[in-house]
Amino acid sequence: MANDQYFEQVVGDTRHVSPDACSFYRRRVMMRKFDIVSIGELLIDMTPASMAQNSSMVFEVNPGGAPCNVLAMAAKLGGHCAFIGKVGADAFGNMLIATLERLGIETAGIVSDGSVPTTLAIIAFDENNDRSFSFYRNPGEIKCCVLTRWIQIW
């Protein structure tokens, strides 16, 4: 069904709707691609998994970052989602992008930058099992170039 036909079906008789309102509706509602677009951090959570035989801590690598955690749940519930952010052009960055693609999250808004490593969050637990985080990242890693990706996918 063409956009104009759908618009008329939803609105009804468009003769009583201003041309500006019709145009706005078509641009903002009919052309919307995503239910949720999230901007922010996409990182690797290094979570303690076990102790090695030599008493060293063994860590498990997991995708993380609150904005993407929300998108992952929304996508699993059927939402059409997109992420805008930056990762390093490294094995961790590639893993994160592949994970989002497996979940059906649009990744066109992700900048993969060879000059910075993918952010790592090292998670530690205290005696009360409360978490603390240490981040290894390049300060200010999300820059204006990310906005260009947003314009392209929106």
Side-chain angles (χ1 to χ4, degrees):
M1 178 180 296
N3 284 348
D4 289 338
Q5 291 171 331
Y6 181 77
F7 179 73
E8 288 172 11
Q9 188 177 40
V10 171
V11 174
D13 186 358
T14 58
R15 290 176 290 170
H16 304 291
V17 180
S18 75
D20 288 340
C22 291
S23 176
F24 176 81
Y25 178 86
R26 286 186 183 108
R27 281 194 324 269
R28 291 294 177 207
V29 178
M30 294 302 299
M31 304 310 282
R32 187 181 69 179
K33 295 180 181 180
F34 304 105
D35 299 312
I36 302 172
V37 176
S38 185
I39 301 172
E41 64 184 357
L42 175 59
L43 51 80
I44 294 292
D45 283 335
M46 303 288 287
T47 310
S50 64
M51 295 294 282
Q53 289 180 348
N54 64 358
S55 298
S56 308
M57 181 65 67
V58 175
F59 287 88
E60 182 176 292
V61 174
N62 294 296
C68 277
N69 291 342
V70 170
L71 290 182
M73 292 287 83
K76 288 179 181 180
L77 292 171
H80 191 184
C81 304
F83 178 72
I84 300 168
K86 186 175 182 179
V87 296
D90 53 29
F92 288 139
N94 294 338
M95 182 192 109
L96 291 169
I97 291 170
T99 300
L100 294 184
E101 288 172 346
R102 264 194 317 279
L103 290 169
I105 297 170
E106 176 60 55
T107 59
I110 298 177
V111 174
S112 185
D113 186 342
S115 67
V116 296
T118 298
T119 300
L120 303 178
I122 311 301
I123 302 167
F125 294 93
D126 65 15
E127 61 278 350
N128 296 322
N129 224 16
D130 291 326
R131 296 179 303 169
S132 63
F133 299 88
S134 297
F135 293 95
Y136 294 88
R137 68 173 131 214
N138 186 27
E141 62 187 272
I142 297 178
K143 299 180 182 177
C144 293
C145 60
V146 171
L147 292 178
T148 302
R149 298 295 176 110
W150 178 77
I151 292 167
Q152 291 171 356
I153 67 169
W154 189 255

